[in-house]
Amino acid sequence: ATFNSADRFKEYIVKGQNQAPAEFYHPPTEDEEEEERVKNLTEAVSPVGRATDSAVTRYRPLVLLAETGGNLASMERRARFEATTRAGHSRSVNYTVQGWTSPGGGLWRINRLVSIQDTLLGLDGEYLIESVTFNRSDSGGTTTELGIVHPDAYAEEPAADQAGGVTTRWDGP
């Protein structure tokens, strides 16, 4: 098992850029506050998304520059995605099982969920098969090495603070 939090951070800050909306190229109206206009322009042109990982106890920020332009919502989605996938990859396990076929029949396959109850490692639930290696030897016969990760390692649209739920019994209180 590899429980490595080196790539996990307390706060993820994603900074982006975007083109200013058309209304900002026109003079301000009389009822428009200058301070509010500057704030809105800053948020539109330089959106900053944030996400946290509550499982990381000390303050450890990571600042990322977005690969594409976007608005505040897209920067926040990107920050949540980064936090959750890093958390998922930080908890990985390799199991070697006898034979090449799964209990349901057929060869073991990647991207399948498997139920794991491992009291030694503190894993209990559905986990994702990330890699499969079939082996055959004179001494060991036919075996399969399964690379297992938390399913959040490949979450598409993570929820806020979903990363904080990726822990094992070996993590601190």
Side-chain angles (χ1 to χ4, degrees), residues 1-3 7 81 84-95 108-116 126-134 144-155:
T2 303
F3 299 152
D7 289 332
F81 174 81
T84 304
T85 57
R86 283 175 180 258
H89 282 291
S90 73
R91 304 296 180 259
S92 63
V93 181
N94 286 331
Y95 288 108
W108 288 99
R109 299 177 60 115
I110 61 172
N111 295 330
R112 304 281 186 204
L113 289 175
V114 291
S115 181
I116 295 178
E126 296 283 313
Y127 288 84
L128 186 71
I129 299 175
E130 183 179 45
S131 65
V132 176
T133 305
F134 299 109
T144 304
E145 186 176 326
L146 301 171
I148 307 292
V149 294
H150 195 280
D152 285 351
Y154 294 97

Side-chain angles (χ1 to χ4, degrees), residues 3-129:
F3 299 152
N4 184 352
S5 294
D7 289 332
R8 285 179 85 166
F9 297 86
K10 178 70 172 178
E11 184 176 19
Y12 295 82
I13 304 163
V14 178
K15 295 184 174 192
Q17 62 184 7
N18 203 6
Q19 184 176 3
E23 66 262 13
F24 290 108
Y25 294 111
H26 303 291
T29 60
E30 291 181 15
D31 61 334
E32 201 173 25
E33 292 282 331
E34 184 63 27
E35 195 173 297
E36 185 69 24
R37 181 180 170 85
V38 169
K39 180 181 176 243
N40 290 340
L41 178 62
T42 302
E43 286 179 3
V45 175
S46 302
V48 177
R50 296 175 184 273
T52 59
D53 184 346
S54 61
V56 179
T57 55
R58 68 183 177 107
Y59 183 66
R60 200 169 172 235
L62 175 66
V63 178
L64 300 164
L65 300 177
E67 296 84 3
T68 61
N71 57 17
L72 179 62
S74 66
M75 296 302 128
E76 287 176 351
R77 278 194 310 274
R78 174 72 166 89
R80 284 194 313 267
F81 174 81
E82 194 70 32
T84 304
T85 57
R86 283 175 180 258
H89 282 291
S90 73
R91 304 296 180 259
S92 63
V93 181
N94 286 331
Y95 288 108
T96 301
V97 297
Q98 191 66 43
W100 291 349
T101 59
S102 66
L107 294 176
W108 288 99
R109 299 177 60 115
I110 61 172
N111 295 330
R112 304 281 186 204
L113 289 175
V114 291
S115 181
I116 295 178
Q117 291 179 326
D118 188 335
T119 55
L120 177 65
L121 297 177
L123 302 176
D124 186 14
E126 296 283 313
Y127 288 84
L128 186 71
I129 299 175

